[in-house]
Amino acid sequence: MFLTVPNDFSNWKKFANIELNEEFDGVRLNLARRFKLDVSDIMKGLKDEESDFDDIDNEDNYEGRTDPLLKTRNELVINSINQLWNESPMNYKDKNFITNVAKMNDNLTRLAETWSKIYVLVERIERRELALSVDHQRFSNLLESLSKVDGEVFNMEDILNTKSGRANNEIQNMSIINSIMGQISKFFVNSKKLKEEEVQIINNDVFESFKRFQDYYISLHFLIERLMNFKLETEKEIQSLLQRIIRAIEKIKQCRSRSDIKGSEFERHVDILTESMDKLNMFISKIILVKTSFANELKLFQKVKYLLSEIFQDWFEQRSKYSEIQDGYVQRLMDDLRDMPLGT
């Protein structure tokens, strides 16, 4: 059904191309009286067990007269039919349905624009932190290179030719400093690996939820788009049918007022009227069903807002989890750093 908001967006798109005229095809409703044209005055004496017309056997003195009250009532019916799309599916007295749908679609567009920017920023935040972790690896490599040469620079034995206990102590301190710098190097390597793991989890899970929320509001946009296309299509059909019905009624009136009319011509106009009214009732039923389906889908769509809660809970849960691990790395490194000699 093209009006369904998808759970699986990729598969939904395959079915979203269903033809508009296939929606609720052949389904008919028992329509409210405000949608039923009354043509009993011109159908007197005609018996059609399958029609919606009253069967009145008496055709005395029919001269094409029309009950003024009946004419006024049919004008009200036509007005109700023309207002059908504006009627709320929940309360037909509310005539702001299309206006409210258009307003919602405008807000949906703004939501889509804002969410797209949020998604881009979240991706940028994670990419920047991942790029920073690459610098951590570079820092670790440079620190290892430093440890390989600093011992030669700070070894004064060859130049100063000293064998004192103080010189030996300086050499030992240099060794301790290099050893702990090795721990600093490992800290940055571990930090890089931790950030890569965090970003991978966020990419696989959290970003998928970001995209899923995006898919839902895109599907709602398509839903509204198809609803509006369906509205335009059915409005054209209904106006065409109403014109055919009015013309058929006039032709039948003319036939009844003439004595030389052929029976086949009269029957042809009656068939046109019957067929047109049947199609009109079918389109009215279809519109009512489509609007009701749309309202039901909107009720289901309300659950999508809870996906926002899941998205931000999951995102910050992952950040908190890896932040705690990172804090543990920092604390252990600080314990090692306190053992570095200061030369006082």
Side-chain angles (χ1 to χ4, degrees), residues 53-67:
F53 312 131
D54 293 335
D55 179 21
I56 302 177
D57 294 328
N58 188 4
E59 193 183 352
D60 295 340
N61 300 322
Y62 183 87
E63 297 180 357
R65 296 189 301 273
T66 302
D67 186 344

Side-chain angles (χ1 to χ4, degrees), residues 325-338:
I325 298 174
Q326 179 70 9
D327 289 344
Y329 289 167
V330 172
Q331 187 58 52
R332 286 192 292 273
L333 180 61
M334 285 302 301
D335 292 340
D336 290 334
L337 290 173
R338 292 188 183 96

Side-chain angles (χ1 to χ4, degrees), residues 64 249-259 261:
I249 289 174
E250 292 301 320
K251 291 292 185 181
I252 293 173
K253 287 180 180 179
Q254 292 173 12
C255 289
R256 281 187 176 275
S257 63
R258 292 167 53 188
S259 59
I261 193 69

Side-chain angles (χ1 to χ4, degrees), residues 295-308:
N296 290 335
E297 292 297 338
L298 283 185
K299 290 178 183 178
L300 291 175
F301 186 81
Q302 298 307 306
K303 298 179 181 180
V304 174
K305 61 178 171 286
Y306 298 112
L307 186 57
L308 288 171

